[in-house]
Amino acid sequence: TLRIISGELKGRRLQTPGDNEPIRPTTDRVKEAVFSMAAPYLDGSIAVDLFTGTGNLGLEAISRGARHVYFADKSRRSLTLTEKNIRHCEVWNRSTLLQGDWEQVLKRLKEPVDVFFLDPPYGATFLVDCIERISDLELLASQGIIVVEHSAKDQLPEMIGTYQLEKQKRYGGIAISIYSEKSEEQ
């Protein structure tokens, strides 16, 4: 079962896709790692769960203090599942659903984002393009981070656009990479 691990919604169970769905929710172990790295950025933050799937990461962010989360996916099925989970967690007032592919969604964001969660299907070839677009559109708040969950086989570059790889951890076949604005003094 998928559940919220910590914070105000702790213990809430989330609906998960059927067995034949192409959605791969983040496991508790990896989610714990993601949020231990993202925790300092969450309080009062604006976050984007860009390949939302079930809403798992965005709802965990709300539970841990995010002020508002944009849940985005190109799959209507994913958004329907996410909508059910938002309703179950009773956090409509802090949620916005956006349907479309990542390029369409990024163009529709009109405020600085403190935390981007990027968890596309593994093997996705557009991760670097996606982060470059976030950089080009200057969507990341100055102290913000981009959290990327990807296959450990996919080696991401040290620099993408104006962002630098700050941290990377591996959990079996999964890697979590954190990017942030390259600081001036480096």
Side-chain angles (χ1 to χ4, degrees):
T1 49
L2 204 54
R3 61 187 174 79
I4 305 288
I5 306 175
S6 186
E8 66 176 278
L9 304 173
K10 182 178 178 170
R12 295 274 178 116
R13 293 188 185 289
L14 302 179
Q15 285 198 12
T16 54
D19 290 340
N20 58 354
E21 297 289 322
I23 300 172
R24 173 201 39 78
T26 301
T27 65
D28 279 2
R29 181 166 160 248
V30 172
K31 190 160 67 163
E32 196 58 79
V34 163
F35 283 93
S36 72
M37 291 191 260
Y41 302 90
L42 285 174
D43 202 33
S45 67
I46 299 297
V48 174
D49 187 353
L50 195 51
F51 305 90
T52 192
T54 60
N56 184 13
L57 294 176
L59 287 165
E60 188 74 37
I62 287 174
S63 185
R64 295 177 187 229
R67 182 164 44 105
H68 198 90
V69 175
Y70 292 90
F71 295 87
D73 210 296
K74 69 178 184 187
S75 157
R76 285 199 186 283
R77 199 171 272 158
S78 288
L79 285 178
T80 301
L81 194 55
T82 298
E83 187 179 352
K84 285 179 183 161
N85 285 327
I86 290 169
R87 186 168 284 136
H88 175 65
C89 292
E90 300 170 4
V91 291
W92 268 122
N93 57 335
R94 291 189 272 167
S95 306
T96 300
L97 289 172
L98 296 172
Q99 208 238 327
D101 68 28
W102 63 269
E103 292 174 277
Q104 294 166 322
V105 168
L106 291 178
K107 283 188 209 140
R108 289 162 62 191
L109 296 172
K110 299 294 179 222
E111 63 184 322
V113 174
D114 300 298
V115 183
F116 272 98
F117 293 101
L118 307 184
D119 181 15
Y122 287 173
T125 54
F126 52 75
L127 262 174
V128 171
D129 293 342
C130 182
I131 295 169
E132 276 175 353
R133 183 65 52 85
I134 292 168
S135 176
D136 293 345
L137 295 171
E138 298 178 357
L139 291 173
L140 191 66
S142 60
Q143 303 295 309
I145 59 168
I146 300 171
V147 180
V148 188
E149 183 181 326
H150 57 98
S151 165
K153 288 192 279 258
D154 299 335
Q155 199 43 54
L156 294 177
E158 285 290 313
M159 288 290 302
I160 301 177
T162 55
Y163 307 131
Q164 179 171 340
L165 182 64
E166 291 289 326
K167 225 184 250 174
Q168 188 172 69
K169 292 208 166 130
R170 288 166 189 268
Y171 302 88
I174 297 169
I176 306 294
S177 298
I178 306 267
Y179 283 87
S180 64
E181 197 72 52
K182 184 172 170 35
S183 57
E184 296 305 315
E185 63 274 7
Q186 288 172 338

